[in-house]
Amino acid sequence: MTRCAQTQIAYDRAGQGETIVLIHAGVADRRMWDQHWEALTRTHDVVRVDLRGFGESTAHVPEGWTAYDDVAKTLAALGIERAHLVGCSFGAGVAVELALADPRLAASLLLVSPGGVLFTERMPELAAYVAAEDAALEAGDLTGAAEVNVRWWVDSPRREPGEVPAEVRDAVRTMQLRVFEIGEDWEDLEGQLEPEAPGRYAEVSAPTCVLVGGLDLDVVLRTADEVTGGIAGARRVDWPDTAHLLPMERPTEFVDLLGAWVAENAG
């Protein structure tokens, strides 16, 4: 692990070739890419970051903070002027904000289970999840709140826990608990681009692929429709039997898909 002197963002970088930047989900940190790291760094220059308030990026929020600006400044410090941006869930929103803030940076976008700032409404399943998480947090039960996230985002409302590999559930539980531990005494972490990204999809010029699981929450499926319909030429790929964290559920297939996507949009 290395920490960027300018932003205090923790990151890893390895490999050579086309540059890929991996931005994790809001229920995870950069460890969600552990299963992909060796394969990707054999053929590409890969950077993975811990967004502020996740993993090892524990520095408190500076005035005017935004997640996308943290990533942009970290990449600038690394001398990266152009990269294939891969974001999962909350990270997909950060990737879109980066592409809007600096169109020259985004060689392409791979948006997995688009969420975060890309959500435009609180649909029934999202509302039920938020209520369950809030109840656990108000009771001071961080472990219980982490379990709520595992149940909703890893299992999904359409599967039983036993249908998901135990190692995936355990990894997400550990990462999410870390988020709660870091953020207990923090202020709001919802800084974002202005004007907001959902009204600006027509401005995105980078080639875009949206990957979504058929078992995901209603709001993610709706958001995938909006992103695919709003970004000119966007491609949508559906994996019917997966939920929110597709890269962790099907790591080999994800590496293959990402490799093909980068090759298609290389140079």
Side-chain angles (χ1 to χ4, degrees), residues 176-198:
Q176 180 62 72
L177 187 57
R178 173 67 171 161
V179 175
F180 289 139
E181 291 168 347
I182 293 171
E184 271 196 290
D185 61 346
W186 281 38
E187 299 296 329
D188 182 22
L189 292 178
E190 295 299 323
Q192 61 187 34
L193 182 69
E194 294 292 345
E196 297 178 4

Side-chain angles (χ1 to χ4, degrees), residues 1-2 11-22 30 33-34 36-49 75 78 80:
M1 185 275 293
T2 307
Y11 70 90
D12 301 305
R13 186 180 191 181
Q16 294 183 329
E18 292 275 326
T19 300
I20 297 172
V21 176
L22 303 172
R30 77 185 195 280
W33 309 110
D34 282 353
H36 320 87
W37 190 249
E38 182 178 353
L40 290 176
T41 57
R42 281 200 298 264
T43 52
H44 300 87
D45 169 33
V46 188
V47 178
R48 60 177 177 175
V49 298
L75 298 180
L78 294 175
I80 296 172

Side-chain angles (χ1 to χ4, degrees), residues 85-259:
L85 304 177
V86 180
C88 182
S89 188
F90 182 89
V94 175
V96 172
E97 290 182 316
L98 283 165
L100 287 168
D102 184 2
R104 298 168 299 177
L105 176 63
S108 74
L109 296 173
L110 176 55
L111 308 176
V112 184
S113 308
V117 299
L118 305 181
F119 289 160
T120 56
E121 63 178 297
R122 181 173 291 190
M123 296 180 68
E125 289 176 353
L126 182 62
Y129 150 72
V130 170
E133 184 189 59
D134 284 349
L137 291 174
E138 287 169 8
D141 183 5
L142 300 188
T143 300
E147 191 62 35
V148 168
N149 280 273
V150 171
R151 187 69 188 93
W152 281 89
W153 297 111
V154 181
D155 302 333
S156 96
R158 282 164 280 285
R159 284 191 302 197
E160 295 301 318
E163 298 179 59
V164 182
E167 58 269 23
V168 175
R169 301 184 85 250
D170 291 345
V172 174
R173 185 182 297 107
T174 298
M175 291 185 285
Q176 180 62 72
L177 187 57
R178 173 67 171 161
V179 175
F180 289 139
E181 291 168 347
I182 293 171
E184 271 196 290
D185 61 346
W186 281 38
E187 299 296 329
D188 182 22
L189 292 178
E190 295 299 323
Q192 61 187 34
L193 182 69
E194 294 292 345
E196 297 178 4
R200 302 175 59 188
Y201 292 142
E203 298 175 37
V204 176
S205 57
T208 301
C209 179
V210 178
L211 174 63
V212 65
L215 303 180
D216 210 336
L217 271 64
D218 50 9
V219 68
V220 178
L221 300 176
R222 167 74 66 82
T223 302
D225 290 340
E226 293 171 350
V227 173
T228 307
I231 297 177
R235 179 183 307 172
R236 175 164 167 166
V237 177
D238 288 85
W239 287 357
D241 299 325
T242 53
H244 195 64
L245 297 176
L246 299 92
M248 296 184 72
E249 283 197 50
R250 294 169 57 177
T252 301
E253 294 94 330
F254 181 76
V255 167
D256 290 344
L257 182 151
L258 175 54

